[in-house]
Amino acid sequence: MAMKDISTIKKKSLKEETVDKQKSRRTQWKFYHSFFTCVLIGCVAQLAASAGINLAKTVSHKSKIMISKKLRDEAKKENDKLKKELKEFNSQNKAEAIARNKFKMVGKDEYLIIYKEEAPQTETPQGFKERFLAKYSDILK
């Protein structure tokens, strides 16, 4: 008996063909699942990093707001103090006090006596030997 068609002998059976197709499909699905898992892990990491950055910015902005409020309150206090001082300056008594104390001015029937205290003078040694002894006398004793 002569074999006419050898290609039919070399063919795989139907069972083997279906098993091979199923293996290739499983491999394909495993690759898809692995790829999408990596993509999802990357997305979750990006979300976590963004949340951390937003939290840090929020804390930074809140601290800047607190500092700004503190500076605003200090500026308001200084402004109120200056307004009060301006009102007092406009009064006659304040102007007289500034004229007397700062510019040493007096009225028509007043006398101005200024006491000036002089600082005690110390003698400075003239020669090198005297200056050296004055400077290091406590060490040499």
Side-chain angles (χ1 to χ4, degrees):
M1 176 172 188
M3 288 196 191
K4 293 182 181 178
D5 196 10
I6 202 158
S7 64
T8 56
I9 296 174
K10 288 184 178 179
K11 281 188 176 180
K12 294 181 181 179
S13 67
L14 185 59
K15 183 178 180 182
E16 289 173 346
E17 285 179 11
T18 55
V19 167
D20 287 344
K21 283 182 182 179
Q22 286 176 352
K23 281 183 184 179
S24 68
R25 283 184 187 155
R26 272 192 234 128
T27 306
Q28 206 174 23
W29 276 108
K30 285 181 183 178
F31 173 76
Y32 288 147
H33 284 239
S34 299
F35 177 73
F36 286 122
T37 302
C38 291
V39 169
L40 287 174
I41 289 172
C43 290
V44 169
Q46 181 66 32
L47 285 172
S50 297
I53 290 170
N54 285 339
L55 182 66
K57 283 183 180 179
T58 301
V59 170
S60 172
H61 290 310
K62 288 200 179 220
S63 66
K64 286 180 182 178
I65 288 171
M66 289 174 54
I67 290 170
S68 298
K69 285 181 179 179
K70 184 187 286 187
L71 287 173
R72 182 196 64 197
D73 293 342
E74 289 175 5
K76 280 184 179 180
K77 287 180 184 177
E78 182 71 20
N79 193 15
D80 292 341
K81 178 183 159 193
L82 290 173
K83 283 180 182 177
K84 182 180 175 185
E85 191 174 307
L86 183 64
K87 285 180 184 177
E88 288 177 2
F89 180 76
N90 290 338
S91 69
Q92 185 70 22
N93 293 336
K94 186 67 174 181
E96 276 186 33
I98 290 173
R100 288 178 194 278
N101 296 331
K102 193 170 184 180
F103 300 114
K104 309 297 185 219
M105 299 173 88
V106 293
K108 290 180 181 177
D109 298 333
E110 298 176 341
Y111 294 101
L112 178 66
I113 301 173
I114 299 174
Y115 291 102
K116 191 173 187 180
E117 294 182 18
E118 293 186 21
Q121 294 181 353
T122 58
E123 293 184 22
T124 57
Q126 295 296 328
F128 174 76
K129 183 178 177 183
E130 289 82 18
R131 285 184 294 181
F132 180 80
L133 289 175
K135 189 172 185 180
Y136 298 107
S137 63
D138 58 335
I139 298 173
L140 297 173
K141 289 181 182 179

